[in-house]
Amino acid sequence: MRVLIDQQFHPGHHYQYVAQLLPAVCGLADDVVVAVTPAGRASVEFEAFLKPFSDRVRFEPILPEGNPGFPLHDRLPMHRALRDAVKRLDPDYVLIPSGDAQATAMALFRWTGRGALPKSIPCEVGIHFGAGRDASLKVQLRDVINGWNLGLSGCRKVHLVNHLFFERLRRIPVVGRTFSAVPHPVARPPAVGTLESRRRLGLPEHGRYIGLAGSLDSRKALAEFIAAFRDATS
């Protein structure tokens, strides 16, 4: 059995999803292929997370470069790149850990008779986008549309990293059964004491702080986090 893992992007946490999958996949399939970009194959992330699997996994740097922000104009080309990889490597099963861009067109291809993937090869996809509860009506509507699109994609399973998005989609009749929630596979960094942390950051050593590294958008559930923080402290 040949399993293809399609990983378009490499910065940040993307290759960590693949590294989490590979031990189990290698135990189930006798031929595991990971499609990446040439830049990804040459990256420090590859050295850190994927190179240890080189004796068990074949890495194919055949994917074109893409924008990890997956703008709309990039999504169809990314989907076509996935289809080209499937045609070239002829797998029996496909896993797409970060498939936000590639999955956008799957429902369209499926409903025009061409299958979510060529030959309707079964696949599973991981999705990072979605807002959740604390969002405008426009964003909530976009969540529902994205949910229907993903639910009708033909994927065996759609794995959602955003748990608020998952909670919304699981309430959509029929389509909601397609989704599951997955944890973010980033290892906890070494702990640094409170005083040492504040000294390194040049912050006052007394008082309480909330820290969050990353884009501060609705996907981070900031409103819920702050409310929980207030409820849990005096």
Side-chain angles (χ1 to χ4, degrees):
M1 178 182 182
R2 176 175 297 164
V3 174
L4 167 63
I5 299 178
D6 182 279
Q7 184 54 63
Q8 177 68 49
F9 308 114
H10 67 274
H13 61 290
H14 287 95
Y15 278 0
Q16 294 192 48
Y17 285 89
V18 181
Q20 291 287 335
L21 283 173
L22 284 176
V25 174
C26 289
L28 295 171
D30 53 7
D31 188 6
V32 180
V33 186
V34 180
V36 295
T37 64
R41 179 64 180 82
S43 67
V44 295
E45 290 86 358
F46 182 91
E47 293 292 316
F49 302 115
L50 300 186
K51 187 176 181 180
F53 298 96
S54 295
D55 59 335
R56 292 178 283 168
V57 173
R58 176 159 51 105
F59 295 100
E60 292 283 354
I62 61 174
L63 299 178
E65 300 301 328
N67 185 338
F70 40 89
L72 284 176
H73 67 267
D74 244 14
R75 296 190 184 190
L76 184 57
M78 292 299 95
H79 177 81
R80 292 191 181 278
L82 168 63
R83 298 183 80 88
D84 290 343
V86 170
K87 292 175 183 176
R88 177 171 176 174
L89 299 171
D90 193 27
D92 300 294
Y93 206 89
V94 178
L95 300 172
I96 314 161
S98 304
D100 303 71
Q102 300 93 317
T104 301
M106 283 184 175
L108 174 63
F109 275 78
R110 179 190 177 204
W111 288 100
T112 55
R114 288 175 284 179
L117 293 179
K119 302 179 183 179
S120 296
I121 292 171
C123 67
E124 298 181 35
V125 62
I127 297 295
H128 300 266
F129 61 52
R133 294 189 300 273
D134 185 37
S136 67
L137 182 60
K138 178 181 177 181
V139 172
Q140 291 181 45
L141 179 60
R142 187 175 64 197
D143 268 2
V144 172
I145 293 172
N146 281 331
W148 275 102
N149 186 49
L150 291 168
L152 297 172
S153 65
C155 294
R156 289 281 181 90
K157 205 74 174 178
V158 178
H159 305 286
L160 302 174
V161 176
N162 186 325
H163 284 215
L164 295 178
F165 189 37
F166 169 69
E167 290 294 335
R168 169 166 289 148
L169 297 188
R170 71 190 297 192
R171 295 193 294 270
I172 298 177
V174 183
V175 174
R177 285 183 256 170
T178 308
F179 302 103
S180 68
V182 294
H184 196 290
V186 176
R188 183 184 297 273
V192 179
T194 300
L195 289 179
E196 177 61 23
S197 297
R198 294 181 181 189
R199 287 167 184 164
R200 292 186 189 181
L201 293 170
L203 297 173
E205 296 180 4
H206 302 287
R208 289 178 173 173
Y209 294 86
I210 297 176
L212 178 63
S215 55
L216 305 184
D217 60 30
S218 60
R219 297 179 304 145
K220 309 300 183 183
L222 289 179
E224 291 85 352
F225 182 72
I226 293 172
F229 186 83
R230 286 173 173 162
D231 289 344
T233 66
S234 56

